[in-house]
Every structure is written in C-alpha cells, then in structure tokens.
Amino acid sequence: MDQETLTMVTEFYFSDFPQFENGSLFFFIPLLFIYIFIIVGNFVIFFAVQLDTRLHNPMYNFISIFSFLEIWYTTVTIPKMLSNLVSEQKTISFIGCLLQMYFFHSLGVTEALVLTAMAIDRYVAICNPLRYAIIMTPRLCTQLSIGSCIFGFLMLLPEIVWMSTLPFCGPNQIHQLFCDFEPVLHLACTDTSMILVEDVIHAISILTSVSIITLSYLRIITVIMRIPSGESRQKAFSTCVAHITIFLLFFGSVTLMYLRFSVTFPPILDKAIALMFAVLAPLFNPIIYSLRNRDMKDAIKKVLCSPKMFNVSGSQ
C-alpha cells in the first residue's frame, strides 16, 4: 500500500448521531440546557470562592480550580456534540480529533490530580488538625495546583504525538460521541497492539489517584468515628461528603470507561457510559457543591444578589 493511500483520511465521521429529521432536536435541546447549566454553575462557584474572603482557604481554592477545569473539560466535547446533532456532515478533521482527545484527557487527568489534592487536604485537616496551617500553606497549595496542570498536560503529549504519526487509510467512522483513544486507534492502518500499552498507562494513573484518595478517606472516616461528640462528628463528616460524592461520580465513570481492557459493552451502553463520563458527572458538580455546603450557598447567594456585580457590569 503506497504512502498516498495510507494518508488519504483527513477527517473522521461520527456515524452514531441521528439525523436532524430523525429527531435529533429532542437530544439537542436537553444537551444545550445541560451545557449552559454546567458553564453557568461552575462559573458561579469559581467567582463565589474568588470574591468571598471567608472561602480563601485550601479546600475552597481546590473546589474553585476544579470548577474552572470542568468548564473547559465539557467545552472540549459538548459543543461538537451539539453541532453533530444539527449538522448534516457530522465530521471532524484529523487535527481537530487529536486536539479534542488531547485537551479532553489532559483536563481529565488534571481534574483527577486536583481531586487527589482535595483528599490530601481533607486528610491533613481532619487527621492532623494542629499542623494543618503549617502543612497546607498557600505555597504548597499553589505548587499542587500548578503541578497538577503541568503533569496533566504533559502526560498525554507523547501519546498524542505518537497517534499523529499513524497512517489512517479508512474506514473513517468513529462509533462514539467524541474522539477517544480506542475508537480512533482501531481505525489506524497499522498494528494497534499499542492499545494495550495505552490501557496500562491509563490504568496506572487512574488506580494511583483512586488508591491515594480511597486510603485518605478511609483514614478520615476512621478518625471521624472516634470523635466522641455527635455534633462534632457530623460537622467533620459534612466537610467531606461533597468531595466523596464527586470522587465516586468522577472515578466511577472513569473506571467504566477506561478500566475494562478487553471487555466489550453493547454499543448503546458504551455511549451511555461516555455520556455519563463527559456530560452527567460534570452536571452534578455545581449541584453537589452548592447544596451540600452552607458556606458555599451563602457565597453563591452573595454573588448572585450583590448589587456590586450589577454596577460593575453596568459601568462597562
């Protein structure tokens, strides 16, 4: 097969989106509202933490960073899904596909690392409260935040560069809601045994974060259960409920999506898992953090009802 034939594929086609005349509008409208809610909700949380001085501590700083990442994490995939629901072509360029995979997974890895930092923060706060201020300094929090971003965006770079060198000669149909490693690698006109290596890399990174977070919260729960006062026990536990819920949502969907190796799911279930991973998990983030935390609720009310916000916007 000559080089011209090997490099003929320049775009991919999302074959599983319904045509507009076949009812795609019924999917478009709910997805659009979900996307708007995710963007607005996470921006509100981000600005609430930044503007309320009571929330200027490591726990809320990590929450605001996570919310900011969620905005871009969903923006990488959902607008393209919306476009595919109303467009006739439903295609994405080869470069566009690689960029979507890179930013989607880089932001996802960064979020996983931020969740790990949150767990460490809660572990120190509850298991070693007297040394909390000494350990969780602003400098360390900044280092953890920046380090998570740098590592998250560097980790996926070699894999994307390698994929950019693969020959794609057809077919070009992606049977998924967005560009992802396995569906795209299966379209390469070459040996795809590297898929196993890719699975192992993902598994190690996921299991490392899961292990650290799980061990941290198990230790936290053990310490909380030893607190004699019921009121103090409930207060300590309430600070972790939102984090544990987000952790279960995020890594539960990640596990179903990327820790199954050779196990195959029916196509409809495969897409349901992808939808949960890319859309539904981010949807619940602002809901959980705003409903489960009184300080956050007060800060959000202050942001939404503050006349200063309207005066600033009106003067621009």
Side-chain angles (χ1 to χ4, degrees):
M1 198 176 293
D2 58 34
Q3 186 67 23
E4 183 180 353
T5 306
L6 285 174
T7 57
M8 62 182 291
V9 172
T10 58
E11 64 181 18
F12 296 107
Y13 175 71
F14 293 101
S15 59
D16 293 344
F17 282 86
Q19 294 296 329
F20 187 79
E21 60 271 15
N22 293 333
S24 67
L25 196 62
F26 291 106
F27 298 98
F28 176 86
I29 294 174
L31 184 59
L32 177 62
F33 278 108
I34 288 172
Y35 178 59
I36 292 172
F37 179 83
I38 291 171
I39 298 300
V40 173
N42 282 293
F43 259 127
V44 167
I45 290 175
F46 177 78
F47 283 115
V49 173
Q50 300 305 313
L51 297 175
D52 194 325
T53 54
R54 296 175 305 164
L55 304 184
H56 289 180
N57 59 56
M59 182 179 78
Y60 289 108
N61 284 333
F62 286 132
I63 290 174
S64 71
I65 292 168
F66 187 80
S67 295
F68 186 75
L69 291 170
E70 286 278 75
I71 293 168
W72 302 110
Y73 176 76
T74 52
T75 299
V76 172
T77 56
I78 296 181
K80 185 59 182 175
M81 291 185 204
L82 291 168
S83 173
N84 288 336
L85 285 169
V86 296
S87 172
E88 292 261 341
Q89 295 184 346
K90 308 182 193 304
T91 58
I92 187 169
S93 67
F94 177 68
I95 297 298
C97 190
L98 290 177
L99 288 174
Q100 187 180 67
M101 285 189 291
Y102 173 67
F103 284 107
F104 181 71
H105 285 282
S106 294
L107 288 163
V109 171
T110 305
E111 286 187 354
L113 294 172
V114 171
L115 286 174
T116 306
M118 283 187 197
I120 294 171
D121 171 71
R122 290 299 85 204
Y123 172 82
V124 176
I126 293 173
C127 300
N128 202 351
L130 297 179
R131 300 193 62 204
Y132 178 75
I134 300 173
I135 297 173
M136 297 303 296
T137 61
R139 181 179 179 181
L140 177 61
C141 294
T142 301
Q143 289 173 342
L144 287 172
S145 302
I146 295 174
S148 296
C149 295
I150 293 173
F151 184 81
F153 278 85
L154 287 180
M155 180 181 171
L156 275 297
L157 200 55
E159 196 169 355
I160 295 296
V161 171
W162 167 69
M163 289 184 67
S164 69
T165 64
L166 296 178
F168 291 87
C169 55
N172 69 336
Q173 294 186 353
I174 295 177
H175 298 285
Q176 188 51 278
L177 302 177
F178 48 85
C179 287
D180 208 357
F181 289 120
E182 190 169 340
V184 174
L185 283 173
H186 279 306
L187 300 178
C189 301
T190 185
D191 178 22
T192 56
S193 60
M194 283 293 290
I195 292 176
L196 180 60
V197 177
E198 170 254 329
D199 283 340
V200 171
I201 293 171
H202 289 169
I204 292 172
S205 61
I206 293 167
L207 291 173
T208 300
S209 290
V210 169
S211 299
I212 294 172
I213 295 172
T214 302
L215 290 173
S216 297
Y217 283 121
L218 285 175
R219 176 61 179 161
I220 287 169
I221 292 170
T222 303
V223 171
I224 289 174
M225 296 306 292
R226 292 176 182 169
I227 298 175
S229 170
E231 184 178 346
S232 299
R233 190 187 310 125
Q234 183 177 359
K235 184 178 180 181
F237 189 70
S238 67
T239 64
C240 300
V241 169
H243 302 305
I244 294 173
T245 307
I246 294 294
F247 161 67
L248 292 174
L249 275 172
F250 184 85
F251 283 101
S253 57
V254 167
T255 300
L256 289 173
M257 193 82 175
Y258 298 110
L259 292 185
R260 57 194 188 194
F261 294 96
S262 59
V263 177
T264 57
F265 293 142
I268 186 67
L269 181 58
D270 207 31
K271 287 166 188 60
I273 293 170
L275 196 67
M276 180 176 71
F277 178 55
V279 178
L280 296 184
L283 169 67
F284 289 108
N285 174 42
I287 297 173
I288 291 168
Y289 279 130
S290 61
L291 293 181
R292 294 293 309 178
N293 191 298
R294 182 179 297 175
D295 291 336
M296 182 65 78
K297 280 194 284 189
D298 292 342
I300 290 173
K301 288 177 184 176
K302 188 182 294 186
V303 168
L304 295 178
C305 302
S306 173
K308 292 181 181 180
M309 295 288 292
F310 297 101
N311 289 338
V312 170
S313 62
S315 63
Q316 289 178 345

